[in-house]
Amino acid sequence: MKKYFVLLVVIISIIVSALPAWPFSSGSFIGPIIVVAAPEPRKIPVYLVLPADYVAVPIRVYSDQKNSALAYEDIRQAIELISQRVQAGSQFKISSGVTTLSQYKSGYGISGGSWSQHAASSEFSLLVPLTKERSDIFKAGVDAARFIDTLVFPDKVKCSTGQLQLAINNPEQYRAKLLGLISEEIRKTRDAVLTKGSVQINGLESSVMVRQADDKQVELYLIYSLSITADK
């Protein structure tokens, strides 16, 4: 007779920086190796706490031009301006995201009042490196706001920012250390539950997840499920 102990099943989501979708000048954008931390609570006991490398500042630029061709040109100029400023010694990086080009539409909503769909917009993240002097998300946010305030866009271009989040360089480099911690946790759990039996573990091939721990640090962990079968 066998008795099964299902110890842990975890599903959690992450937010990762988007793949480049707009041709910034060479050197101004980075690929998906930098991962932005998710705000969700952590539900597993095995994790690593590490200092974050960046603060990611989501930015959206859009044009109020009613002429689509002019709107497209506005956004092109705005993106080129940001790209040039980043390359000019700002120490920041850009993780590019989605650029939307469509026809301008306007009308009236069901509840009254006008609404509009911008003909052109672009979304990306400004990555502010954390340093000894710029040591937390607050100080990085101040520097990002000052940088954005210096940008002079075309007249019809607007810029808005989203929620700031921590990010880390290449979390996959910590996989081996996480696997070692998980192995030790399995040994302790098995010793506490039974002396004989088999262990089945699934999910260790999943991506390394990143969660924001506080204003300076992130937690890294793996999604996995563990079951122990006790022989009778």
Side-chain angles (χ1 to χ4, degrees):
M1 180 179 180
K2 296 183 178 181
K3 189 175 182 180
Y4 296 90
F5 298 85
V6 180
L7 299 182
L8 183 63
V9 178
V10 177
I11 299 176
I12 201 164
S13 63
I14 61 169
I15 302 172
V16 297
S17 54
L19 289 170
W22 186 275
F24 285 92
S25 301
S26 176
S28 65
F29 69 83
I30 55 88
I33 193 172
I34 295 177
V35 176
V36 179
E40 286 85 356
R42 176 179 46 79
K43 299 179 181 178
I44 58 174
V46 180
Y47 62 97
L48 282 173
V49 177
L50 295 170
D53 296 311
Y54 297 94
V55 170
V57 184
I59 294 177
R60 178 175 182 260
V61 291
Y62 56 94
S63 174
D64 283 337
Q65 291 277 10
K66 292 180 173 57
N67 180 289
S68 297
L70 294 177
Y72 301 165
E73 178 60 20
D74 274 357
I75 294 304
R76 188 198 67 77
Q77 291 182 22
I79 292 175
E80 185 63 24
L81 169 65
I82 296 171
S83 176
Q84 291 174 357
R85 290 296 305 277
V86 166
Q87 289 187 75
S90 69
Q91 299 183 339
F92 298 166
K93 296 179 183 294
I94 293 174
S95 176
S96 59
V98 177
T99 297
T100 302
L101 302 177
S102 62
Q103 295 296 311
Y104 179 89
K105 295 180 181 179
S106 64
Y108 287 88
I110 294 175
S111 60
S114 63
W115 57 271
S116 65
Q117 175 181 318
H118 298 106
S121 67
S122 182
E123 298 176 6
F124 52 91
S125 288
L126 181 69
L127 298 170
V128 183
L130 291 175
T131 63
K132 185 177 179 180
E133 294 75 22
R134 190 195 297 131
S135 58
D136 57 43
I137 197 170
F138 303 106
K139 294 176 182 177
V142 169
D143 285 351
R146 288 172 176 166
F147 173 81
I148 294 169
D149 284 345
T150 65
L151 300 174
V152 181
F153 294 114
D155 289 342
K156 295 289 186 176
V157 171
K158 302 293 190 296
C159 176
S160 62
T161 59
Q163 180 178 341
L164 276 62
Q165 294 171 284
L166 298 179
I168 190 168
N169 271 319
N170 189 19
E172 289 295 329
Q173 66 182 301
Y174 301 103
R175 176 179 293 276
K177 191 167 185 178
L178 282 169
L179 290 174
L181 293 174
I182 291 172
S183 177
E184 179 63 19
E185 182 69 16
I186 291 172
R187 185 192 66 77
K188 292 179 180 178
T189 302
R190 181 173 176 174
D191 290 347
V193 173
L194 72 164
T195 57
K196 294 182 179 180
S198 61
V199 175
Q200 181 176 353
I201 185 166
N202 298 300
L204 294 182
E205 73 282 359
S206 64
S207 299
V208 175
M209 304 300 181
V210 185
R211 174 185 177 271
Q212 186 165 316
D214 52 32
D215 61 338
K216 299 179 181 180
Q217 301 178 109
V218 294
E219 296 173 351
L220 273 57
Y221 52 92
L222 288 168
I223 295 172
Y224 66 92
S225 64
L226 172 68
S227 65
I228 298 180
T229 303
D231 295 329
K232 291 292 186 178

